[in-house]
Amino acid sequence: MQLQEFADRSHLDPSTIEAWVNAEWLVAHPPGHQFSDQDLARAHLIQDLKRDLGINDEGIALALYLLDELYGLRCLLRDIQAMRTTASERTH
C-alpha cells in the first residue's frame, strides 16, 4: 500500500511514519514507500506500546529489536524442523 493509504489505515500522519522509517521501526519498501500488512500490524504494535504501555522511544526500539530477534529464531527453528522431517523421511 502507498504512504497515504498506510497513513489512513494506521491513523498516523505522514511525518510520524517518516520518523518511524528513519528510526528503522518501519521499513518502507521500494518503489515509492510501499508498505505491507505486516508493516501496518507493526505500526499498530508501536502505537499500543506507546499509548497503552507508556513505553518511551528507547524502550520501543529495544522491544522491536527483541521481537525481531524472536521472529528470526522462530523462522530458524521452523527451518531446522523442516530439515529434520525431510532427513527422517529419506531414511525411512
Side-chain angles (χ1 to χ4, degrees):
M1 71 190 82
Q2 295 290 332
L3 178 61
Q4 188 56 53
E5 180 184 357
F6 185 80
D8 293 343
R9 292 180 62 190
S10 66
H11 307 289
L12 295 168
D13 58 85
S15 64
T16 298
I17 295 168
E18 194 65 38
W20 290 5
V21 168
N22 290 337
E24 298 180 353
W25 295 358
L26 295 174
V27 176
H29 308 281
H33 271 30
Q34 293 285 324
F35 294 94
S36 67
D37 287 335
Q38 279 184 312
D39 298 316
L40 184 60
R42 190 171 174 103
H44 288 147
L45 171 64
I46 295 167
Q47 290 172 311
D48 290 345
L49 292 172
K50 284 177 140 315
R51 181 185 56 236
D52 298 341
L53 299 176
I55 298 177
N56 64 18
D57 288 355
E58 292 79 18
I60 298 279
L62 178 60
L64 292 175
Y65 169 78
L66 293 172
L67 287 170
D68 290 342
E69 288 294 306
L70 182 60
Y71 178 76
L73 291 172
R74 284 184 63 208
C75 291
L76 179 61
L77 180 58
R78 185 176 43 233
D79 291 346
I80 291 169
Q81 288 173 331
M83 287 189 308
R84 289 179 69 190
T85 300
T86 302
S88 175
E89 290 171 354
R90 288 181 189 163
T91 60
H92 288 100

